[in-house]
């Protein structure tokens, strides 16, 4: 049997922490001076496997400091509970807040890791009572939890999803309330937000976030930008992304170079008004 050992391909993300924050953000570390713009978000804004994610592209185009404070696998909890980053964002010229999935926030039914929000920590007694046949000890990630619960008892998942929607909207509002700077809410997905209560199946987009939830949040922000990645961008695959052979499936699951360019195209007009 022959084994292929792919050579190491390393992308330096310049990981850094700002002030008292414990969140590892995309670097390089920047100074908070002048008319800077901050970006809060998860893996998509972090730019995994991408040398120049969309905040870096916008910096080149607009000539202002763009500070990428996104973190890999972060949801709304990672920034919503981080007073240091919220203060930095509040003092900037504008803040772009990426929409991340509703399952990645702690709620009354389960808790997630405070920074790696994709990691499942513990089920509440209420959730255990709702799914008495389910073994929660085998679960390490929120995505796995949601898939397994839908398999075991799909008729009982509706209550859980409604709790996630409420918790997510509350956490997003907390973020908005803490940031005095102009705020841009950003959707990135292969499809547009679904109608109220509908599900996105087989497409990469923020999970359990629908049009109704976004409409509730719009009055709290200064602009809403919706980016649906084009078929042309999706067809480019992982071309130009930096990853090893073993990492290719993971690279296929995140925005590629063309997708980041499309996000920058959509945000540029909105940001230019505040710079």
């Amino acid at each position: 049997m022959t084994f292929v050992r792919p050579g190491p391909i390393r992308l330096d993300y310049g990981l850094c922490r700002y002030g008292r924050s414990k969140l590892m953000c995309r670097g390089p570390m920047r100074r908070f001076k002048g008319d800077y713009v901050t970006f809060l978000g998860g893996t998509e804004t972090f730019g995994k496997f991408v040398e120049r994610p969309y905040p870096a592209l916008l910096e080149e185009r607009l000539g202002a400091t763009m500070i990428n404070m996104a973190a890999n696998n972060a949801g709304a909890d990672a920034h919503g509970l981080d007073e240091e980053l919220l203060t930095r964002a509040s003092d900037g010229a504008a803040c772009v807040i990426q929409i991340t999935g509703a399952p990645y926030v702690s709620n009354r039914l389960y808790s997630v890791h405070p920074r790696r929000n994709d990691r499942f920590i513990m089920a509440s007694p209420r959730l255990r009572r709702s799914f008495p046949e389910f073994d929660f000890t085998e679960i390490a990630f929120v995505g796995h939890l949601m898939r397994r619960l839908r398999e075991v008892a799909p008729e009982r998942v509706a209550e859980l999803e409604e709790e996630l929607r409420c918790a997510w909207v509350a956490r997003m509002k907390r973020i908005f309330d803490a940031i005095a700077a102009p705020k841009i809410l950003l959707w990135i997905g292969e499809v547009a937000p679904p109608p109220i209560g509908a599900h996105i199946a087989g497409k990469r987009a923020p999970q359990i976030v629908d049009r109704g939830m976004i409409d509730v949040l719009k009055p709290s922000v200064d602009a809403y930008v919706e980016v649906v990645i084009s078929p042309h961008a999706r067809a480019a695959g992982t071309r130009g992304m930096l990853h090893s052979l073993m990492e290719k499936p993971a690279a296929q699951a995140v925005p590629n170079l063309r997708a980041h360019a499309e996000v920058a195209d959509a945000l540029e007009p909105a940001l230019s008004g505040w710079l």
Side-chain angles (χ1 to χ4, degrees):
M1 182 178 294
T2 301
F3 292 89
V4 178
R5 184 185 298 274
I9 299 177
R10 294 186 177 90
L11 176 57
D12 183 5
Y13 296 109
L15 296 176
C16 59
R17 291 190 181 96
Y18 289 107
R20 293 168 296 176
S21 173
K22 295 181 179 180
L23 192 65
M24 296 298 294
C25 300
R26 174 77 189 241
M29 181 175 280
R30 312 303 300 274
R31 296 180 64 186
F32 296 90
K33 65 176 184 178
D35 290 334
Y36 64 83
V37 177
T38 56
F39 296 79
L40 310 182
T43 302
E44 294 77 14
T45 298
F46 179 86
K48 193 171 183 181
F49 306 120
V50 174
E51 191 169 15
R52 290 163 57 243
Y54 71 84
L57 299 178
L58 286 165
E59 180 166 292
E60 293 174 2
R61 298 182 188 185
L62 296 174
T65 300
M66 305 286 168
I67 304 178
N68 191 343
M69 299 196 298
N72 197 30
N73 298 314
D77 268 8
H79 294 97
L81 303 176
D82 194 312
E83 298 297 336
E84 178 76 24
L85 296 186
L86 291 175
T87 298
R88 302 285 191 172
S90 188
D91 293 338
C95 178
V96 176
I97 304 159
Q98 180 209 337
I99 293 172
T100 52
Y104 305 108
V105 295
S106 290
N107 53 81
R108 291 181 297 178
L109 298 179
Y110 65 79
S111 57
V112 300
H113 190 280
R115 292 175 295 280
R116 296 290 299 269
N117 298 158
D118 63 325
R119 299 197 175 187
F120 173 79
I121 299 299
M122 185 174 61
S124 72
R126 178 178 166 185
L127 185 61
R128 293 180 185 277
R129 287 194 300 269
S130 297
F131 297 88
E133 72 275 44
F134 192 80
D135 182 10
F136 289 95
T137 61
E138 66 178 20
I139 300 297
F141 294 93
V142 173
H144 184 206
L145 171 70
M146 298 304 297
R147 287 192 299 272
R148 290 287 293 117
L149 290 181
R150 289 193 182 104
E151 292 170 1
V152 170
E155 74 284 354
R156 279 177 267 154
V157 172
E159 179 186 358
L160 169 59
E161 292 181 347
E162 184 58 29
E163 170 65 20
L164 298 183
R165 292 186 181 98
C166 293
W168 182 85
V169 168
R171 189 74 76 248
M172 293 296 284
K173 285 184 175 180
R174 184 187 189 281
I175 293 174
F176 300 156
D177 290 344
I179 298 174
K183 295 170 283 290
I184 301 174
L185 183 62
L186 172 66
W187 169 278
I188 304 174
E190 291 185 350
V191 293
I196 295 175
H199 284 277
I200 298 171
K203 296 291 185 179
R204 299 185 183 96
Q207 296 299 302
I208 317 183
V209 176
D210 59 38
R211 182 72 66 184
M213 297 160 68
I214 294 173
D215 288 342
V216 168
L217 296 178
K218 280 183 180 179
S220 300
V221 299
D222 299 272
Y224 169 65
V225 174
E226 188 172 295
V227 181
V228 177
I229 305 303
S230 71
H232 179 67
R234 296 201 302 270
T238 61
R239 193 176 307 126
M241 300 175 79
L242 299 178
H243 60 84
S244 68
L245 182 62
M246 294 182 65
E247 292 172 323
K248 185 168 184 177
Q252 292 172 329
V254 297
N256 60 18
L257 274 66
R258 289 187 182 274
H260 278 272
E262 290 183 353
V263 176
D265 291 341
L267 282 172
E268 186 175 355
L271 282 176
S272 60
W274 287 301
L275 295 171

